[in-house]
Amino acid sequence: MAGVWAAVSREPGSMSRSKPVLSGVWFPTVRTNGGVDIFTEQLVAGLQSRGVRAEIAWLPLRAEYAPWSVRIPELPSWASITHINTWLPTRFVPVGVPLVATVHHCIYSPAVTPYKGVLRSAYHHLWVRSNEKSVLKRADMVTAVSNFAASTVQAAVLDRSMRIIYNGIDATFFKPVPRGARVPFRLLYVGKWAALKGIDLLRPIMRELGAGFELRVTAGGALAQEKGIYDLGRLTGRGDVAAAMQDADALIFPSRAEGFGLVVAEAMACGLPVIATRGSALPEIVEDGVTGLLCASDDVSEFACAIRRVAGDRVLYRAMSSAARCAAEKRFSLDRMVDDYLSLYGECVREV
């Protein structure tokens, strides 16, 4: 797929029409400072590295909830594909070129409902769902970052076909470093400081583990006052995240619902076994018993037992570390993600 996809003209007098080709991909995107931003930036960089013109038209956050207050960006003349997040208000969805839309979330999952609150639930149901349904109807092709994200939206919004393309991570940046047996065994939690992520489980898990284990958390606040828990503060870039992972022995991720779980794939690329919840999209990333261990949601004792098992068996630990790195390279690499989207874009323009 390398090289520029440029228009090819037919010989004079040819009775056939010119075959549509991919000249460029345009990404009108609301900047949220979250995972969708990272996905878009990495995909654009990957396309550009293959010689495909790709640009982002950043929209302010208010474009999501007050789209009438934001000017509509003009579709570039060079764009042969528009690629959006399914949350993008239809006001900003252009006509005239094929539309690819990607599902990134799992907000309609019953596992998420208890953690949204009344106002957010109403916003998702009355505003986001209606807009997302319109986008799904208009899109020529829909992708989802996991089977779980796809099935959740298909059940709650619109039952239409979706192609699963897992998010990619930079496996040349997130990579293992030599690590020997360490006492105490060092766990790492990276993620939002929100109940949905299972942060309330971290303290009781550490108490059950007792001596011989420590936990490093990002922006942990009061939790870091607990014995054996250390606050790394806010990690401001991927360099900080990679360094924290390379300085840990395993990732603990007790999240109750994930549309994908980018931090899990990044940790695996760093050779970390992952102890995570058996639910949502996480079993699609972590192979239980191979690249980590999966535990029942909210089960403190099972998480503690799983951590002890990984920490106490060096043969198992080394096997999981190696398998995690291998899975990240094969299944979640940026190159694989870019390849998949280039193939999809090609299908879109051929069907025009």
Short mmCIF file of all heavy atoms in Angstrom, two decimals, residues 50 164-169 329-341:
data_model
loop_
_atom_site.label_atom_id
_atom_site.label_comp_id
_atom_site.label_asym_id
_atom_site.label_seq_id
_atom_site.Cartn_x
_atom_site.Cartn_y
_atom_site.Cartn_z
N ARG A 50 2.58 6.96 4.19
CA ARG A 50 2.38 6.12 3.00
C ARG A 50 2.21 6.96 1.74
O ARG A 50 1.92 6.43 0.68
CB ARG A 50 1.16 5.23 3.18
CG ARG A 50 1.15 4.38 4.45
CD ARG A 50 2.24 3.33 4.47
NE ARG A 50 2.12 2.50 5.66
CZ ARG A 50 1.38 1.40 5.72
NH1 ARG A 50 0.69 1.01 4.66
NH2 ARG A 50 1.33 0.69 6.82
N ILE A 164 -14.55 -4.29 11.98
CA ILE A 164 -13.74 -4.12 13.19
C ILE A 164 -12.30 -3.84 12.79
O ILE A 164 -11.66 -4.66 12.12
CB ILE A 164 -13.81 -5.36 14.10
CG1 ILE A 164 -15.26 -5.77 14.36
CG2 ILE A 164 -13.06 -5.09 15.40
CD1 ILE A 164 -16.11 -4.66 14.94
N ILE A 165 -11.80 -2.67 13.18
CA ILE A 165 -10.39 -2.33 12.99
C ILE A 165 -9.88 -1.86 14.35
O ILE A 165 -10.24 -0.78 14.83
CB ILE A 165 -10.20 -1.23 11.93
CG1 ILE A 165 -10.74 -1.69 10.57
CG2 ILE A 165 -8.72 -0.87 11.82
CD1 ILE A 165 -10.57 -0.67 9.45
N TYR A 166 -9.06 -2.68 14.97
CA TYR A 166 -8.55 -2.34 16.30
C TYR A 166 -7.63 -1.12 16.22
O TYR A 166 -6.93 -0.90 15.22
CB TYR A 166 -7.77 -3.51 16.89
CG TYR A 166 -8.64 -4.69 17.29
CD1 TYR A 166 -8.36 -5.96 16.80
CD2 TYR A 166 -9.71 -4.53 18.15
CE1 TYR A 166 -9.14 -7.05 17.18
CE2 TYR A 166 -10.51 -5.61 18.51
CZ TYR A 166 -10.22 -6.87 18.03
OH TYR A 166 -10.99 -7.94 18.38
N ASN A 167 -7.63 -0.34 17.27
CA ASN A 167 -6.72 0.79 17.36
C ASN A 167 -5.27 0.32 17.31
O ASN A 167 -4.94 -0.77 17.80
CB ASN A 167 -6.94 1.57 18.65
CG ASN A 167 -8.20 2.42 18.61
OD1 ASN A 167 -8.71 2.72 17.53
ND2 ASN A 167 -8.71 2.79 19.76
N GLY A 168 -4.42 1.15 16.73
CA GLY A 168 -3.01 0.81 16.64
C GLY A 168 -2.17 1.60 17.64
O GLY A 168 -2.51 2.72 18.01
N ILE A 169 -1.09 1.00 18.06
CA ILE A 169 -0.14 1.69 18.96
C ILE A 169 1.25 1.61 18.33
O ILE A 169 1.54 0.72 17.53
CB ILE A 169 -0.16 1.09 20.39
CG1 ILE A 169 0.02 -0.45 20.35
CG2 ILE A 169 -1.45 1.42 21.10
CD1 ILE A 169 1.41 -0.90 20.54
N GLU A 329 2.54 -6.34 18.77
CA GLU A 329 3.17 -6.12 17.46
C GLU A 329 2.30 -6.66 16.32
O GLU A 329 2.18 -6.03 15.27
CB GLU A 329 4.54 -6.79 17.42
CG GLU A 329 5.59 -6.10 18.26
CD GLU A 329 6.94 -6.79 18.16
OE1 GLU A 329 7.01 -8.00 18.46
OE2 GLU A 329 7.90 -6.11 17.78
N LYS A 330 1.69 -7.82 16.52
CA LYS A 330 0.95 -8.47 15.44
C LYS A 330 -0.47 -7.94 15.29
O LYS A 330 -0.98 -7.80 14.18
CB LYS A 330 0.93 -9.99 15.66
CG LYS A 330 2.27 -10.66 15.46
CD LYS A 330 2.15 -12.18 15.62
CE LYS A 330 3.48 -12.86 15.33
NZ LYS A 330 3.38 -14.34 15.48
N ARG A 331 -1.14 -7.67 16.41
CA ARG A 331 -2.57 -7.37 16.35
C ARG A 331 -2.89 -5.89 16.51
O ARG A 331 -3.94 -5.43 16.07
CB ARG A 331 -3.31 -8.16 17.43
CG ARG A 331 -3.17 -9.67 17.31
CD ARG A 331 -3.95 -10.38 18.39
NE ARG A 331 -5.37 -10.06 18.29
CZ ARG A 331 -6.17 -9.85 19.33
NH1 ARG A 331 -5.68 -9.89 20.56
NH2 ARG A 331 -7.45 -9.59 19.15
N PHE A 332 -2.01 -5.14 17.17
CA PHE A 332 -2.35 -3.75 17.51
C PHE A 332 -1.32 -2.73 17.04
O PHE A 332 -1.21 -1.65 17.61
CB PHE A 332 -2.55 -3.63 19.03
CG PHE A 332 -3.51 -4.63 19.60
CD1 PHE A 332 -3.09 -5.57 20.52
CD2 PHE A 332 -4.83 -4.65 19.18
CE1 PHE A 332 -3.98 -6.51 21.04
CE2 PHE A 332 -5.72 -5.59 19.67
CZ PHE A 332 -5.30 -6.52 20.61
N SER A 333 -0.57 -3.07 16.01
CA SER A 333 0.45 -2.13 15.53
C SER A 333 -0.19 -1.03 14.68
O SER A 333 -1.24 -1.23 14.06
CB SER A 333 1.51 -2.86 14.70
OG SER A 333 0.97 -3.25 13.45
N LEU A 334 0.46 0.12 14.63
CA LEU A 334 0.00 1.21 13.78
C LEU A 334 0.01 0.81 12.31
O LEU A 334 -0.91 1.16 11.55
CB LEU A 334 0.89 2.44 13.99
CG LEU A 334 0.62 3.30 15.21
CD1 LEU A 334 1.64 4.43 15.29
CD2 LEU A 334 -0.79 3.87 15.19
N ASP A 335 1.02 0.08 11.89
CA ASP A 335 1.10 -0.34 10.50
C ASP A 335 -0.11 -1.18 10.12
O ASP A 335 -0.67 -1.04 9.02
CB ASP A 335 2.38 -1.14 10.24
CG ASP A 335 3.60 -0.25 10.10
OD1 ASP A 335 3.42 0.95 9.86
OD2 ASP A 335 4.73 -0.77 10.21
N ARG A 336 -0.50 -2.09 11.00
CA ARG A 336 -1.67 -2.93 10.73
C ARG A 336 -2.94 -2.08 10.62
O ARG A 336 -3.76 -2.27 9.72
CB ARG A 336 -1.79 -3.98 11.83
CG ARG A 336 -2.83 -5.06 11.60
CD ARG A 336 -4.19 -4.68 12.17
NE ARG A 336 -4.06 -4.03 13.46
CZ ARG A 336 -4.94 -3.14 13.92
NH1 ARG A 336 -5.97 -2.77 13.19
NH2 ARG A 336 -4.77 -2.58 15.10
N MET A 337 -3.09 -1.11 11.52
CA MET A 337 -4.27 -0.25 11.49
C MET A 337 -4.31 0.57 10.20
O MET A 337 -5.36 0.68 9.56
CB MET A 337 -4.29 0.69 12.70
CG MET A 337 -5.52 1.59 12.76
SD MET A 337 -5.53 2.73 14.18
CE MET A 337 -4.35 3.97 13.62
N VAL A 338 -3.19 1.15 9.82
CA VAL A 338 -3.14 1.96 8.60
C VAL A 338 -3.43 1.08 7.38
O VAL A 338 -4.17 1.48 6.47
CB VAL A 338 -1.77 2.66 8.47
CG1 VAL A 338 -1.67 3.38 7.12
CG2 VAL A 338 -1.59 3.67 9.61
N ASP A 339 -2.86 -0.12 7.33
CA ASP A 339 -3.14 -1.05 6.23
C ASP A 339 -4.64 -1.31 6.10
O ASP A 339 -5.21 -1.29 5.01
CB ASP A 339 -2.42 -2.38 6.45
CG ASP A 339 -0.95 -2.32 6.13
OD1 ASP A 339 -0.51 -1.36 5.46
OD2 ASP A 339 -0.21 -3.23 6.57
N ASP A 340 -5.27 -1.56 7.24
CA ASP A 340 -6.70 -1.88 7.23
C ASP A 340 -7.53 -0.71 6.73
O ASP A 340 -8.49 -0.89 5.97
CB ASP A 340 -7.16 -2.30 8.63
CG ASP A 340 -6.65 -3.67 9.03
OD1 ASP A 340 -6.11 -4.38 8.16
OD2 ASP A 340 -6.78 -4.03 10.22
N TYR A 341 -7.16 0.51 7.15
CA TYR A 341 -7.94 1.67 6.71
C TYR A 341 -7.67 1.99 5.24
O TYR A 341 -8.59 2.39 4.51
CB TYR A 341 -7.67 2.88 7.61
CG TYR A 341 -8.57 2.87 8.82
CD1 TYR A 341 -8.07 2.62 10.09
CD2 TYR A 341 -9.94 3.09 8.68
CE1 TYR A 341 -8.91 2.59 11.19
CE2 TYR A 341 -10.78 3.06 9.78
CZ TYR A 341 -10.26 2.81 11.03
OH TYR A 341 -11.11 2.76 12.12
#
